[in-house]
Amino acid sequence: MNIGEAARRSELPPKTIRYYEEIGLVTPARDTNGYRAFSESDVHRLVFLGRARALGFTIEDCRALMALWADSQRASADVRRIATDHLARIEAKIADLRAMQHTLSHLVSACAGDDRPDCPILQTLEHPG
Amino acid sequence: MNIGEAARRSELPPKTIRYYEEIGLVTPARDTNGYRAFSESDVHRLVFLGRARALGFTIEDCRALMALWADSQRASADVRRIATDHLARIEAKIADLRAMQHTLSHLVSACAGDDRPDCPILQTLEHPG
DNA sequence: CTTGACCTTCCCCTGACTGGAACCCCCATA
DNA sequence: TATGGGGGTTCCAGTCAGGGGAAGGTCAAG
């Protein structure tokens, strides 16, 4: 199948699929006219990639996960380690964002938001505390 | 003062300060030897930038905030709108990350993480639900 | 006079794509 | 047979907010 149908079936944009080929995550065959020819297993890999990316795994995580997926001798510990590391990064990011949210929501509720210039948001950026 | 001291006082890396000059967020004078000569108000602007960036505002948000900061005729509504928009983006991002965290933490706790190949993480990436 | 710390510009690199230009291929219709 | 449209292809450039490092100029101390 051509890239268009592979895109519909994997729910990934054609551009993304070409990029994944460029970095070696999929290697579709080629027709004589130069068009990419995707097999069912190529689509299967693309769907896997889409799900892993949707969970926030990096491309390099995806590469490692796909290698483990293909390896019937894998240790589930290796998969789990990738996931726990990723989970830790996510939780750190959530903590950062929640700190920003905390500060910002206080500032926003303290600001009148009218046509006068007085603004605790700017005051805090200038001199916090 | 030279960029090194401006960096220490603003707690921003010299590279970042040069970048901010390149995109027009600060415009330090120059000594005859070509070195940047930062004034107190330049440092003040850098500190403001550092705080705004620490709250997650984009560079373009910072540019707008600094323009409002410099404008004694500003309406606090304009400042507040920038902050509320940014807060909304942060909250959307937190929601995304929490969804990932939710799914990932379930997967991690379901995975034995031993030397056997059976792995609900890979199974779910292959066939969710 | 030399050493070492500082400063300068310049260019390339990051992640994970996205947009666009220029061009090729295939099928249907007038 | 022309042509129009909807595929496909490659390559280049841009995104965001800087970071790394090279090649070279400047300055104060020993």
Side-chain angles (χ1 to χ4, degrees):
Chain A
M1 91 195 67
N2 286 347
I3 199 170
E5 194 181 338
R8 276 185 291 280
R9 291 186 41 189
S10 63
E11 298 181 323
L12 292 174
K15 277 278 194 186
T16 299
I17 296 175
R18 292 193 189 99
Y19 173 65
Y20 288 171
E21 184 189 18
E22 186 187 332
I23 63 176
L25 291 181
V26 280
T27 49
R30 294 288 179 142
D31 284 340
T32 52
N33 60 10
Y35 287 18
R36 289 169 182 81
F38 291 84
S39 67
E40 291 299 323
S41 84
D42 287 330
V43 172
H44 203 177
R45 291 170 69 85
L46 289 172
V47 169
F48 183 100
L49 280 167
R51 295 208 182 102
R53 292 288 300 128
L55 284 178
F57 285 106
T58 67
I59 289 288
E60 290 314 308
D61 284 343
C62 290
R63 197 188 298 280
L65 288 170
M66 289 185 70
L68 291 166
W69 183 37
D71 176 10
S72 62
Q73 305 299 306
R74 69 186 166 248
S76 66
D78 292 340
V79 181
R80 192 176 193 276
R81 184 161 38 244
I82 293 172
T84 53
D85 288 357
H86 176 44
L87 186 53
R89 288 194 301 269
I90 283 179
E91 286 172 349
K93 187 122 204 169
I94 289 174
D96 286 353
L97 289 172
R98 282 170 63 103
M100 293 179 190
Q101 178 197 28
H102 181 80
T103 302
L104 279 168
S105 60
H106 282 290
L107 291 177
V108 162
S109 64
C111 176
D114 56 19
D115 56 355
R116 288 171 301 169
D118 316 82
C119 181
I121 299 172
L122 291 180
Q123 277 170 32
T124 300
L125 288 171
E126 189 172 355
H127 303 293
Chain B
M1 88 196 67
N2 286 347
I3 199 169
E5 193 180 339
R8 276 184 291 279
R9 292 184 41 187
S10 62
E11 299 181 321
L12 292 174
K15 279 274 192 186
T16 297
I17 297 175
R18 292 193 189 100
Y19 173 66
Y20 289 171
E21 184 190 20
E22 186 188 333
I23 63 175
L25 290 181
V26 281
T27 49
R30 295 286 180 144
D31 284 339
T32 53
N33 60 8
Y35 287 18
R36 290 170 182 80
F38 291 84
S39 67
E40 292 298 324
S41 83
D42 288 330
V43 172
H44 203 176
R45 291 171 68 84
L46 289 172
V47 169
F48 182 100
L49 281 167
R51 295 209 182 102
R53 292 286 300 128
L55 284 178
F57 285 106
T58 66
I59 290 287
E60 289 314 307
D61 285 342
C62 291
R63 196 188 299 280
L65 288 171
M66 290 187 68
L68 290 167
W69 183 38
D71 176 11
S72 62
Q73 305 300 305
R74 70 184 165 248
S76 67
D78 293 341
V79 182
R80 193 176 192 275
R81 186 162 33 245
I82 293 172
T84 53
D85 288 357
H86 176 45
L87 185 54
R89 287 194 301 269
I90 284 179
E91 288 172 348
K93 188 123 203 166
I94 289 174
D96 286 354
L97 290 172
R98 283 170 61 102
M100 292 179 191
Q101 178 197 29
H102 181 81
T103 301
L104 279 167
S105 60
H106 281 290
L107 290 177
V108 162
S109 64
C111 177
D114 55 19
D115 57 355
R116 289 170 301 167
D118 315 83
C119 179
I121 299 171
L122 291 180
Q123 275 169 33
T124 299
L125 288 171
E126 188 172 355
H127 304 293

